[in-house]
Amino acid sequence: MKKIISKHTPGSWLIQNTTKDYIFIYSDAGGDIAEIYNHSERPKKEVLANARLIAMAPNMFECLKAIQNRDVVDIDEIFNLVDAILLRIES
């Protein structure tokens, strides 16, 4: 796959140690991405699942761009990319 140039913050987005009310998402290339404040009555588990979706946005973007650019032509390769993303989201 060729390197995709995008406008969003580069690098993998990771979830930093969380507190009772806050979840932090940052880029391993440097810099904060998001600070999620749980001011609702939602369970911490649900808020953390939402944070995982946000943190996987660059991976989902790269997967979609690879498919759009026809960099991935084998259906099994597409399924493998999608499976890897879903595994990280659902973990």
Side-chain angles (χ1 to χ4, degrees):
M1 265 188 294
K2 65 183 175 183
K3 182 70 177 163
I4 297 168
I5 299 172
S6 63
K7 296 178 183 178
H8 67 271
T9 303
S12 294
W13 292 3
L14 307 165
I15 297 173
Q16 191 174 28
N17 293 334
T18 62
T19 67
K20 179 180 177 274
D21 295 324
Y22 288 94
I23 297 173
F24 303 96
I25 299 173
Y26 68 98
S27 170
D28 67 352
D32 295 333
I33 301 298
E35 181 179 299
I36 301 168
Y37 174 66
N38 184 16
H39 58 85
S40 67
E41 296 298 319
R42 296 189 188 283
K44 175 81 174 202
K45 186 176 180 179
E46 181 179 339
V47 176
L48 194 52
N50 292 339
R52 282 195 298 271
L53 276 172
I54 294 167
M56 289 303 295
N59 301 75
M60 291 185 279
F61 175 79
E62 286 186 27
C63 181
L64 290 171
K65 290 300 284 184
I67 293 167
Q68 180 187 47
N69 294 335
R70 312 302 193 268
D71 292 339
V72 181
V73 293
D74 179 25
I75 192 70
D76 288 329
E77 189 176 352
I78 293 170
F79 287 144
N80 289 339
L81 288 170
V82 171
D83 287 345
I85 291 169
L86 290 175
L87 181 66
R88 286 192 55 197
I89 290 171
E90 295 171 342
S91 65

